[in-house]
Amino acid sequence: MDVRRVLVLAAVAALSAHGLAALPATVADHVPRAAAVARAAVPAAVPAAAAAPIAHVARPGHWSVVVDGWYIELDGVAGVHSAAPERAEPVPSLLSPYDQLIGKYAEESGLDWRFVAAVIYEESHFEPNSVSEAGAYGLMQVRPVAAREVGEVSFQEPEANIRTGVHYLQRLEREYAAAGDRHRQALMLAAYNMGLAHVQDAQTLARRFGYDPLRWDGAMDVMVSLLEEPQVYQRAPNGYAHGRAVVEYVDRVLRRYAAYRRDLPAVPPGHIVQTAAAVP
């Protein structure tokens, strides 16, 4: 137990009856306490696959597009037409068969596809039929309540599951828009894992103790952990939460995301960045 958490726990024990009375008791006195979850080793990021040979390569200084089965090379002055190959080469995957779907919905929602991929790895290891004891389903371990919150009805098929999970992450990003990048991502992950209501309980504690409720490191990570302490969770509106396990979850996802950012491109192979409407 580090010094910071000892001090905060001491502050909890010393809270006045008036201070603790502000948090209504909604949880029984004998809620089982969770064991601390051991830090999971994060394997190294999957190295990028070698690019497949491209049948048609634009000349240096040129760029090309495909329109109605024709390659058109442009140098800013004129177009040169040549027949397109009959069969396109397969696009390699970097992490999973779902890279392009992740890229598609991440881009639409303004998220980094590598961040979404790090969440999916932690949630399901890219297993589309994964189901948790809590009823979370699929690649992104979507729960029905989260799907309803973003207006999704069906979320079991892989593409629908990715779309739903990404839309929920987008909703959480808006919730913590005022936080700095790392802190915002950490708060998003905590809410994705434990639920928005528990994070709100932890933010209430942060304000009571004089911590920044939008700062993760050295503030909210400690407050989230306190939701396992009986003198806290018994008076928290939403009760007990596996706080320490959530802190470990956030740390694993952020470390994996940092590795993916280091080793993987900003867009997955074969993904077309939507920058402008197609010309008819």
Side-chain angles (χ1 to χ4, degrees):
M1 181 182 299
D2 61 28
V3 175
R4 180 184 65 217
R5 186 166 179 277
V6 171
L7 293 175
V8 174
L9 284 175
V12 174
L15 278 175
S16 67
H18 173 74
L20 288 177
L23 294 174
T26 60
V27 180
D29 292 336
H30 301 291
V31 178
R33 299 180 59 187
V37 175
R39 183 179 301 273
V42 178
V46 179
I54 300 175
H56 184 90
V57 180
R59 291 169 292 165
H62 294 62
W63 59 276
S64 65
V65 295
V66 178
V67 178
D68 294 332
W70 291 82
Y71 272 105
I72 304 176
E73 288 187 6
L74 300 175
D75 60 5
V77 179
V80 179
H81 290 208
S82 61
E86 294 181 359
R87 181 176 61 85
E89 294 293 336
V91 176
S93 295
L94 296 177
L95 296 172
S96 77
Y98 310 105
D99 288 356
Q100 291 186 57
L101 286 174
I102 297 169
K104 172 185 176 181
Y105 290 109
E107 182 190 359
E108 289 179 0
S109 300
L111 300 174
D112 188 334
W113 82 279
R114 297 165 295 188
F115 178 76
V116 176
V119 172
I120 294 176
Y121 180 90
E122 186 63 34
E123 292 289 345
S124 69
H125 287 208
F126 299 104
E127 170 51 56
N129 297 317
S130 178
V131 183
S132 76
E133 294 181 357
Y137 190 88
L139 291 162
M140 297 198 70
Q141 290 295 277
V142 175
R143 291 179 293 175
V145 63
R148 288 194 299 270
E149 190 168 337
V150 294
E152 294 284 353
V153 177
S154 175
F155 55 87
Q156 294 189 346
E157 183 270 331
E159 180 169 2
N161 193 269
I162 292 171
R163 182 181 66 243
T164 303
V166 169
H167 286 170
Y168 190 63
L169 283 173
Q170 182 186 36
R171 181 257 185 274
L172 295 175
E173 184 176 48
R174 290 194 296 266
E175 179 73 22
Y176 305 115
D181 285 347
R182 173 181 166 81
H183 305 295
R184 180 174 65 255
Q185 290 163 353
L187 290 167
M188 290 166 60
L189 292 169
Y192 192 89
N193 185 261
M194 74 192 304
L196 186 59
H198 286 303
V199 176
Q200 290 170 343
D201 284 351
Q203 288 181 311
T204 297
L205 286 175
R207 295 184 186 96
R208 190 172 302 281
F209 292 132
Y211 286 81
D212 184 350
L214 292 177
R215 179 179 179 81
W216 180 256
D217 299 310
M220 285 295 293
D221 57 347
V222 180
M223 299 300 112
V224 165
S225 297
L226 288 177
L227 295 178
E228 291 190 2
E229 302 300 327
Q231 62 267 46
V232 174
Y233 71 71
Q234 290 174 5
R235 295 169 174 81
N238 296 284
Y240 176 85
H242 296 274
R244 293 177 181 86
V246 172
V247 172
E248 293 292 334
Y249 169 90
V250 170
D251 182 62
R252 288 195 302 272
V253 175
L254 288 180
R255 285 190 289 122
R256 182 170 296 280
Y257 174 45
Y260 283 173
R261 289 187 63 189
R262 182 186 66 236
D263 297 334
L264 302 178
V267 295
H271 178 68
I272 300 175
V273 178
Q274 303 297 319
T275 57
V279 178

